[in-house]
């Protein structure tokens, strides 16, 4: 069976990926789900950055004694997967992303981080806040603040850019929902166009939230990319 690690997005948790994991099992995959620090029932670490989450992915792979597993990353998880492929190319195999935002200029980062103000969300989106509290417990406010700061950190450091994306050696497939209002087709196309061995796919009727993606269709795309009808990757 093909090992694959599933990475959730910002403000998400490992449970978000259970429907996809269930479907991947029927496609002869052995899925592992990694919950990043500060999310769900996992405690915060000292740092809350892309390099920190990449270190957690590398440690997870080492601890599980996995040899270059495939990695699927949703949203922030995809950014972490690409960062890991760039800086630790021997750690991962094929990379698949979905709804991963790559355009993090300062204006965009400031705009997105302002949306995560706990007080404003409590007033304008009480149902969303209730869901955050259910998923992350009493640390949901701190999670919002740290996520906003992480967005600004990405904009400052530009961890993935045109200059270094071309150095990613792993095969990469970047996915996007056709109704995603946060991630544009242009930024996704521009990114996969720079990575040497890459392609792109679209999911119909899919918005940014992972729960709007059909896990059956998503698993089929992953299988066709990671195991394209041969036994060589199994």
């Amino acid at each position: 069976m093909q090992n694959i690690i599933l990475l959730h997005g910002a403000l998400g948790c490992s449970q978000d990926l259970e429907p996809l994991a269930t479907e991947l099992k029927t496609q002869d995959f052995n899925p592992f789900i990694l919950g990043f620090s500060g999310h769900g029932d996992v405690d915060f670490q000292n740092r809350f950055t892309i390099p920190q989450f990449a270190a957690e992915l590398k440690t997870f792979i080492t601890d599980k004694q996995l040899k270059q597993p495939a990695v699927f990353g949703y949203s922030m998880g995809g950014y972490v997967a690409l960062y890991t492929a760039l800086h630790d190319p021997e750690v991962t195999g094929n990379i698949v992303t979905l709804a991963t935002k790559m355009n993090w200029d300062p204006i965009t980062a400031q705009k997105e981080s302002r949306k995560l103000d706990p007080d404003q969300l409590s007033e304008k989106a009480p149902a969303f806040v209730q869901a955050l509290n259910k998923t992350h417990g009493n640390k949901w406010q701190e999670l919002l603040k740290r996520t906003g700061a992480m967005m600004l950190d990405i904009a400052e450091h530009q961890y993935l850019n045109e200059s270094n994306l071309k150095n990613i050696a792993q095969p990469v497939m970047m996915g996007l929902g056709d109704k995603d209002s946060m991630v544009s087709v242009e930024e996704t196309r521009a990114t996969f166009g720079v990575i040497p061995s890459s392609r792109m796919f679209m999911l119909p009727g899919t918005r940014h939230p992972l729960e709007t993606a059909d896990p059956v269709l998503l698993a089929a795309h992953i299988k066709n990319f990671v195991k394209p009808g041969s036994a060589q990757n199994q």
Side-chain angles (χ1 to χ4, degrees), residues 8-223:
H8 63 78
L11 306 182
C13 67
S14 57
Q15 285 78 9
D16 298 343
L17 293 155
E18 289 178 354
L20 177 59
T22 298
E23 183 59 32
L24 286 170
K25 289 178 182 178
T26 70
Q27 303 294 329
D28 201 31
F29 280 92
N30 184 28
F32 297 83
I33 304 177
L34 169 61
F36 292 122
S37 60
H39 298 78
D41 58 1
V42 186
D43 293 335
F44 285 108
Q45 297 296 316
N46 291 333
R47 295 187 302 159
F48 195 92
T49 62
I50 295 299
Q52 169 64 33
F53 297 142
E56 292 173 14
L57 172 58
K58 183 177 181 180
T59 298
F60 185 87
I61 292 173
T62 301
D63 289 347
K64 297 292 184 182
Q65 297 183 330
L66 303 176
K67 184 178 181 180
Q68 293 187 313
V71 180
F72 167 79
Y74 161 69
S75 195
M76 180 192 77
Y79 201 100
V80 172
L82 292 173
Y83 180 94
T84 303
L86 176 64
H87 291 278
D88 291 289
E90 75 286 353
V91 171
T92 70
N94 291 23
I95 304 292
V96 180
T97 72
L98 176 66
T100 294
K101 186 164 187 63
M102 303 301 297
N103 178 21
W104 286 106
D105 60 83
I107 294 177
T108 298
Q110 290 172 10
K111 176 183 176 181
E112 294 298 328
S113 65
R114 283 196 294 267
K115 296 178 182 179
L116 301 182
D117 179 84
D119 294 331
Q120 290 188 15
L121 281 175
S122 296
E123 179 181 348
K124 298 180 179 180
F128 179 59
V129 167
Q130 184 178 9
L132 287 174
N133 186 53
K134 182 179 179 180
T135 300
H136 308 289
N138 58 14
K139 66 175 183 287
W140 67 270
Q141 290 178 304
E142 180 67 19
L143 177 59
L144 286 172
K145 293 177 181 179
R146 293 201 187 194
T147 301
M150 179 187 67
M151 292 174 173
L152 298 175
D153 180 73
I154 295 173
E156 178 182 354
H157 289 92
Q158 292 295 309
Y159 293 112
L160 297 174
N161 55 64
E162 187 173 350
S163 296
N164 59 31
L165 284 168
K166 63 184 180 183
N167 296 321
I168 293 179
Q170 289 91 328
V172 173
M173 181 170 68
M174 302 190 69
L176 181 65
D178 63 351
K179 297 184 182 300
D180 194 321
S181 59
M182 180 174 182
V183 183
S184 69
V185 174
E186 290 75 19
E187 66 187 287
T188 305
R189 183 182 292 118
T191 301
F192 97 87
V194 173
I195 299 172
S197 180
S198 62
R199 66 179 72 170
M200 179 179 171
F201 71 99
M202 298 285 289
L203 290 182
T206 304
R207 296 180 288 108
H208 188 74
L210 180 59
E211 60 267 25
T212 68
D214 180 353
V216 175
L217 182 57
L218 180 54
H221 278 290
I222 294 172
K223 180 180 180 180

